[in-house]
Amino acid sequence: MTHSGRRTDRRLEEAILELLARRAPSATICPSDAARAVYEGDDDGWRALMAPAREAARRLVAAGEVEVTQGGRPVEPADARGPIRIRRAR
């Protein structure tokens, strides 16, 4: 991974945690919220950060910081297919 790739990964992780910190303890965010927060342009280039945002969520799950949910229930990030939400670990 490139230096800029690692920096983007770290920024995505920080964005996820910051976005959750500003919401109610039980609130969730979409990976796109983090992608949009990190993307510096004003077009839809944030979409290229969706896969890295999902990966950032997976790393935060492994660290015990967050949970990935589907249909309001925690799921294993590796098993998640389709839309996911991210919330603080309970």
Side-chain angles (χ1 to χ4, degrees), residues 19-36:
L19 288 164
L20 289 172
R22 288 187 236 148
R23 288 174 170 75
S26 61
T28 64
I29 63 165
C30 178
S32 67
D33 295 326
R36 286 182 175 100

Side-chain angles (χ1 to χ4, degrees), residues 4-87:
S4 63
R6 282 192 300 272
R7 184 169 49 242
T8 298
D9 287 347
R10 197 165 42 250
R11 287 176 58 213
L12 285 164
E13 291 172 10
E14 291 168 359
I16 289 169
L17 295 174
E18 288 172 13
L19 288 164
L20 289 172
R22 288 187 236 148
R23 288 174 170 75
S26 61
T28 64
I29 63 165
C30 178
S32 67
D33 295 326
R36 286 182 175 100
V38 168
Y39 183 65
E40 295 176 354
D42 58 1
D43 56 13
D44 68 353
W46 60 268
R47 292 180 188 279
L49 295 175
M50 283 300 294
R54 287 175 71 109
E55 287 296 323
R58 286 184 187 105
R59 288 190 300 276
L60 291 171
V61 167
E65 299 273 351
V66 302
E67 293 177 329
V68 167
T69 66
Q70 287 187 310
R73 294 188 181 99
V75 295
E76 282 299 320
D79 298 336
R81 299 288 176 265
I84 63 170
R85 303 289 295 175
I86 305 164
R87 69 181 179 201

